[in-house]
Every structure is written in C-alpha cells, then in structure tokens.
C-alpha cells in the first residue's frame, strides 16, 4: 500500500512522535469543514436519541394518571399548523392536500397517556436547568419538525418492510416500517406529549398522525408503525445551537427560549415558550418575528419565496372554501341576501390559528398587496354589496360561509426566482392543482414581501393562458416605472403607484457631482394622461466632502402637471413646473 | 485550550465552543487516528472516525467542570480509544482479526517484545530527527507524501507551490533522507 515501508514504523507511535506528526499541516480547509459538519450532525442525533430514551424511561417510572383528550382538538389547529409550517420557511411542502379533511381512527379521541408524577425539582438554577432543558427540547423539536417535513434522518427505516396505501386520488403511497425509536402511533404521541403541550402539541400531533387531505406521516399497520418519507423535504432550517433563556418566571414555572438568526440584512427571532407540566418541561407555543429594513428589499431569498408561496396557498385556500380548515356544522347561522332571493349558511370556524376577523384580515393583508387584494381576496373578510363575505365574526366567534370546498394552488417542486427589480421578484413554480406552472409576483411593501399578482402559465415558455388566468396583471401599469430624460442625462423621473389611482412622483436634476435638486409630489392621471399636482416639495441635496448629506427644503407649495406626450414615434412624459419652470426641455422616456 | 475556557465559551455559544475545540485539536486527533488506521482504512473511514471522536467529546464533556488544564489529554484519550475501536471494527469486518481475540486487540498499540519495541522506538526517533534535519518545506513534504500519502498536487495546494516543484523536492529530499539514514545504519 505504501511506497516507502520505512514510514510504517511511525505507526502506533508514542505520544512524542504523535505530537510531532500532528504539527505537520495535512488537513485542508474543506476536509476540516467536512469533518466538523459530520461531528455536529452526529451530535444532534446523539442528543435526540438521548432525549427520547430519557423520556421513554420517565414514562415507565411511577404513579400514573390517565386522561382523555377531546376529539375536536385534533382538528382545531390546522390553519395554525399551516401558519407555523409556513413561517418556518422551507417546510411549506410538508403538507400537500387536495381534498377536505377526513377524520380517521387515529384522531386524538382515543389517546390515553401515562403521565409521570415525579416530584418537580425543588431548587432551580436558571444557568443550568433552563439551559439544559432548552438544549434537550430544541433537539427534540428539530427532530420532530424534520419528521413532520418528511425527513427521516435520525430514525431507522426498514426498506425491506414496506406497505402501499391508497391515497385520496387512488395513487399508492409507500410506507416504510420504523425500525427503532417508536413502535406505534401511541408511543409517538406519548413522546410528543412529553415534550409539547397546548397548541404546539395539537399542531404536531395533527401534522404527524392525522389525515390532512393526504396520507398521514405515521400509520399503524398490522400492529407495526410505518412512516411515509417526503420526497422534497427541506433541509434549510435555522440553526438552534445558539439560544438565550429569557422571561424565566418562578411563579408559573415557565421561560422562553429565544433564538436570534442574524441574516446579512435581516434579523429573525424565534421564541419558544416553555412550561412545567406534570413535572416535565414542555414546549407550549412558538412564534417568529422578523425585523427587516428597507435594505432587505434587495435580498429576496429562497426562504422568502417559499414562505410567500405557503402564505398565498393558505389565503387562497380560505378564499376557496378552506380545505385545510375545519368547521362545526352544529353551530351555524343563516343570512339572507339583500334581495331575499337566497340564504347563506355560516358555520363556526374552529381552526385554531385564526381566532377573529382582525386576525384573519391582518393575515390576508400581510400576504397580498392592495390591488390584488381588492380584486380577489378582500372578499374573505368584506363584501360591501351583499355583506356576505367568506368570514363573519359573531359574538366573538368566527364563522365561515358554507361553500364548496376547492383550491387553486398546491405548489410543488423547487421554485425558480427571477429578479425584476430591487423590490419586485417573480416566482415560477409547479402547481399540482392545474398540473402546470404558476407565476407569482412578489413586491416589497410595508417592510414585507407580498404577492401582487399571480398568473397560471400554460407551459414552460411562460405564456399566460386566457381561460385560466384568474387575476389580471394588476401591476402592468402604463405610468409606473423609472424614466430618463432624453435631453439631459442628469435628470430622471420615477413614478410609483400608491393605490388604484394615486401616484407618487419623484424628479431629480443633478446639478453637479455633489448637488442635486429634487421634486416630490402626488397626483392622479386623468383620462387624457395628465397628472395635475399641487403641494410639490422641492429639496436641494448637498453631499459634503466627508460624505454627509444635507437636505434643504426650498418650498412645499409647488404646482404644475405631467403629461403623456407622443411626438413622432416616441412616447414620453413632459413636465410643466409652474413654480420656476424647472421642467422646461425635459422629455422623460420610460426605461 | 483549557477546560475552563471551553466551558466559558460553551455558555456563551455552543457552536463557537465546538468550532474552537475542533480547530484546536483536529490536527492532533487526525494524527492519532491516521497513525492507528493508516494501513487498513480509507481516507473516508479516517474522517468518519475523527468526526465520531469530536461528536463524542461535544456530547460527553462535562461543561460544568472547572478543569483548568489543557484538554489535550482528554481529547487524546477519547481519540485513541475510538481509533482502537475503529481498528477493531475494520479488522473484524475484513476478517483479519476475530472479535474474540481480546488479548490481541488490547495489545495492538504495544508490542510485547520489549527488546524489539525498544529498537523500534529508537529507529523511529532517528527517522524523525533525520526528517527534521531536511528543513522546511522538505520535512513537511516528506511527511505529507510518504506518511500521510498525499498527492503532489494536494501538497502543492497546501504549501502554495507548484505540483512539479513538490515532486522534485520530494524526490531529492527522499534521496537525501536515505543517505543520512544509511549513515545512521538504517536502510530504506
């Protein structure tokens, strides 16, 4: 094997020789990174296995108290699940469904759980106890999160023991037998109950063991536990290695685990609330907060796209009657249309994540921009003509129209992202419902990425189908955009659409390298392509030698107008400024 | 890196603690593992073993300890034990050793012939000293090429040299080493 066998004498060397050998640089940066990454991955698995073993051991310990969970809780949080899954970014494809929820025998109605009654720790030390519990819970959570997303890493599957189960559409789903860790759905649920409670427990129990329009992840078949791996699960999770313990409350025995994810131009904070229940520390709730600045507009990442698609899928789903959602048909209210010609039934909406109309409206408005909103989705919460929107709030409870339940979107695959400008991107992705592609336009508005438009494409050449186009291209605005002055390259004009009719206009004249004049005003274009304005603000901007910027307001009461002009073959905008005729000679052409 | 330093870093940021510990001792651990497995394991097996060692250390080191000494002793012990286990596993798989040959396995690291052991230690010491006498970068090239079995292009990348220059220096240095070892009574 070795060319020079004399070097074999260095094998089984003493410590001194080993020291000398270790001083010879031999490992490349890539090799080191690879080994470190492997070590951390193995550590994660060791932590998970250790935690699961510990929890299972605890279950076998002592006095037992049995309880039953009410059945409705299993379904009470599907929308919340989706919000949760969507918010984590990258796990949006964990659930794919095409038909209404069917309750199955694996619902929580029959769950009984053994709960330990060991004595809680009498003394506390935040530095050690909380830290230790947090590390353990986060490790378990990540494992469960990945399982829910379809990633079986860390759990051994027997590839020689598979079962084919018919899915809702007649297709066959392959399940693999779980060879370690859990032996039944009941055991899995007991594990979940040992580390989660409240909403989070409901969410993950549903995600892992309930039929959500598609075959469940875990299933008992012939007395054995089987798992359905996902084909497109994400591995792009935030790192949970670094966290802080905050808000420790000795009175309620609770604390928060705070994980701050610093991205180049954004900050994301994930918060888990942990409570002591039956002497076990459990994750009770999860929330994520993002702090973004205007600068973030230029960084639209894959996770932003996945999150936005997930949110759009949810909003559209609500609009389409709500496949994901659950209603209580025993609690219904009927309304008549204004002309009395028909009656509309509303059922109590029991999907836990959306609790009232404000909550719902906020979620929709955070996903879709105003033009697309009023065109398509505002009907979810308002119907000015008939007052029969998709949702109504009555006596503090949310009711949903009893509609046909359908959906337009079931996004699949890896989306293609195309940058259109700093504040606008196009996402092209596969849509299982139409068996084609959808182009979603994302724009940056109010500090968030939102959907301004979507189009169904008939093929990969991205042509829009006339028959299937649901929304017109709302942003295809003839005025909006950047313009340059054909006669003077130092001048520029930008027009941004503020709402249906109103535009904001910004004109710059660069006088020297350090001095420029700027005019800003708003107005509406009339039918003849003229925008009259008043209250124009003019500023003179001076850049100092030290890089400082000084802005002096010259006036706030400018008047004038912009007008579309078509001399010869060219179309452009001319600017008439009443105040000091600054627009004389300007002819702005759209870029 | 001392135990206290590691624990302090661990409290601030586990990830940083892992990274720093790894950076401090990866060459040392690799040297131990390579030394034990070089004749029977692939480079992938060796990397796997090194990563196992660090995950063991990350998992089991008591982060509340106040050990003020260098962690090198602890790291080295874990590394040697794990390397021996891997050696055992690999040789068992390849049929070179039987799982039952415990006595034989326990003594893998040490020859029972004291006289021969002493001779080997002396020869090894001479070899190391003669390699060191070659001076840099030849001593590093020799170790990397003939002990760590790295290719000339890999060594060239690491030392910011051309592969042809590495080949030339390696050949010359090896000849020089042979000559000096022969003078010391060792034939290559």
């Amino acid at each position: 094997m070795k060319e020079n066998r004399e070097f074999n004498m260095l094998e089984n060397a003493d410590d001194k020789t080993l020291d000398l050998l270790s001083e010879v640089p031999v490992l490349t940066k890539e090799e080191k990174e690879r080994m470190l990454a492997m070590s951390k991955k193995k550590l994660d698995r060791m932590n998970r296995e250790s935690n699961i073993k510990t929890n299972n051991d605890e279950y076998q310990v002592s006095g037992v108290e049995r309880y039953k969970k009410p059945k409705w809780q299993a379904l009470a949080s599907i929308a919340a699940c989706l919000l949760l899954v969507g918010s984590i970014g990258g796990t949006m494809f964990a659930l794919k469904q095409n038909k209404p929820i069917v309750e199955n025998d694996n619902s929580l109605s029959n769950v009984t759980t053994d709960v330990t009654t060991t004595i809680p720790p009498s003394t506390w030390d935040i530095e050690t106890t909380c830290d230790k519990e947090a590390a353990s819970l986060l490790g378990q959570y990540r494992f469960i999160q990945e399982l829910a997303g379809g990633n079986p890493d860390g759990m051994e599957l027997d590839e020689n023991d598979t079962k084919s189960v018919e899915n809702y559409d007649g297709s066959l789903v392959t399940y693999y037998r779980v060879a370690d860790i859990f032996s039944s759905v009941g055991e899995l649920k007991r594990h979940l109950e040992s580390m989660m409670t409240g909403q989070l427990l409901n969410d993950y129990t549903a995600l892992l063991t309930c039929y959500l329009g598609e075959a469940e992840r875990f299933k008992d078949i012939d007395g054995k536990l089987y798992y359905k791996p996902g084909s497109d699960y994400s591995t792009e999770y935030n790192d949970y290695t670094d966290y802080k313990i905050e808000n420790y409350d000795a009175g309620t025995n609770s604390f928060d685990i705070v994980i701050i994810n610093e991205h180049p131009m954004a900050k994301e904070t994930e918060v888990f609330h942990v409570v002591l229940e039956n002497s076990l520390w459990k994750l009770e709730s999860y929330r994520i907060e993002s702090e973004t600045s205007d600068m973030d507009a230029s960084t639209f990442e894959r996770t932003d796209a996945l999150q936005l698609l997930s949110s759009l899928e949810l909003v559209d789903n609500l609009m389409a009657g709500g496949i994901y959602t659950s209603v209580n048909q025993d609690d219904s209210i009927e309304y008549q249309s204004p002309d009395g010609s028909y009656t509309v039934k509303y059922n109590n909406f029991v999907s836990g994540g959306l609790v009232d109309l404000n909550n719902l409206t906020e979620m929709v408005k955070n996903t879709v921009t105003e033009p697309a909103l009023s065109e398509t989705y505002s009907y979810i919460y308002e119907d000015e003509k008939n007052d029969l929107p998709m949702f109504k709030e009555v006596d503090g409870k949310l009711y949903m129209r009893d509609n046909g339940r359908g959906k337009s979107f079931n996004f699949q695959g890896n989306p293609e992202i195309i940058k259109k400008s700093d504040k606008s991107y196009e996402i092209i992705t596969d849509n299982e419902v139409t068996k084609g592609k959808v182009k979603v336009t994302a724009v940056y508005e109010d500090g968030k990425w939102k959907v301004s438009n979507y189009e169904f494409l008939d093929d990969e050449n991205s042509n829009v189908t006339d028959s299937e186009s649901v929304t017109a291209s709302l942003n295809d605005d003839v005025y909006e955009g950047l313009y340059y002055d054909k006669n003077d390259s130092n001048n520029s004009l930008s027009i941004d659409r503020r709402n249906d009719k109103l535009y904001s206009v910004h004109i710059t004249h660069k006088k020297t390298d350090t001095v420029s004049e700027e005019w800003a005003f708003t107005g509406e274009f009339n039918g003849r392509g003229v925008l009259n304005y008043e209250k124009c603000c003019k500023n003179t901007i001076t850049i100092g030698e030290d890089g400082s910027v000084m802005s002096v307001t010259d006036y706030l009461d400018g008047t004038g107008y912009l007008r579309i002009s078509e001399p010869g073959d060219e179309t452009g905008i001319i600017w008439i400024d009443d105040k000091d005729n600054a627009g004389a000679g300007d002819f702005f052409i759209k870029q | 890196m001392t135990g206290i330093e590691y624990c302090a870093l661990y409290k601030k940021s586990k990830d940083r603690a892992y990274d720093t510990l790894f950076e401090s001792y990866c060459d040392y651990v690799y040297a131990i593992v390579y030394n034990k497995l070089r004749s029977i394991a692939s480079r992938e097996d060796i990397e796997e073993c090194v990563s196992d060692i660090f995950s063991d250390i990350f998992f089991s080191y008591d982060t509340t300890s106040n050990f003020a000494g260098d962690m090198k002793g602890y790291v080295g012990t874990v590394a040697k034990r794990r390397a021996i286990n891997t050696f055992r596993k690999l040789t068992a798989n390849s049929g070179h050793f039987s799982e039952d040959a415990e006595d034989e396995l326990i003594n893998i690291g040490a020859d029972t012939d004291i006289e021969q052991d002493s001779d080997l230690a002396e020869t090894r010491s001479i070899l190391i000293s003669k390699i060191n006498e070659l001076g840099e970068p030849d001593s590093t090239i020799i170790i990397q090429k003939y002990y760590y079995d790295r290719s000339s292009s890999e060594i060239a990348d690491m030392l910011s040299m051309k592969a042809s220059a590495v080949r030339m220096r390696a050949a010359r240095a090896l000849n020089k080493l042979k000559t000096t070892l022969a003078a010391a009574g060792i034939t290559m």
Side-chain angles (χ1 to χ4, degrees), chain A residues 533-565:
Chain A
Y533 67 84
E534 53 187 22
K535 295 181 182 173
C536 167
C537 169
K538 183 196 171 191
N539 290 318
T540 300
I541 314 293
T542 307
I543 301 170
E545 284 182 1
D546 58 352
S548 61
V549 177
M550 188 173 70
S551 175
V552 176
T553 301
D554 299 320
Y555 56 72
L556 295 164
D557 58 351
T559 58
Y561 64 89
L562 296 179
R563 181 164 62 80
I564 299 291
S565 176

Side-chain angles (χ1 to χ4, degrees), chain A residues 48 75 133 182 198 211 220 254-255 267 275 319 346 353 385 393-394 476 557:
Chain A
R48 282 202 296 261
L75 303 171
E133 295 296 339
F182 307 116
Y211 186 97
D220 281 333
S254 67
F255 63 89
K267 189 170 136 187
V275 295
M319 182 68 197
Y346 282 76
K385 191 177 167 193
E393 187 179 330
V394 181
D476 190 14
D557 58 351

Side-chain angles (χ1 to χ4, degrees), chain A residues 124-143:
Chain A
W124 261 73
D125 174 34
I126 298 172
E127 286 283 323
T128 54
T129 307
C130 290
D131 190 65
K132 196 176 154 199
E133 295 296 339
S136 162
L137 287 169
L138 288 175
Q140 294 179 74
Y141 177 81
R142 175 50 47 83
F143 179 51

Side-chain angles (χ1 to χ4, degrees), chain B residues 30-44:
Chain B
Y30 190 84
I32 292 171
V33 175
Y34 192 88
N35 191 261
K36 186 64 70 185
L37 303 180
R38 72 187 282 269
S39 301
I40 58 152
S42 66
R43 219 191 263 188
E44 288 75 24

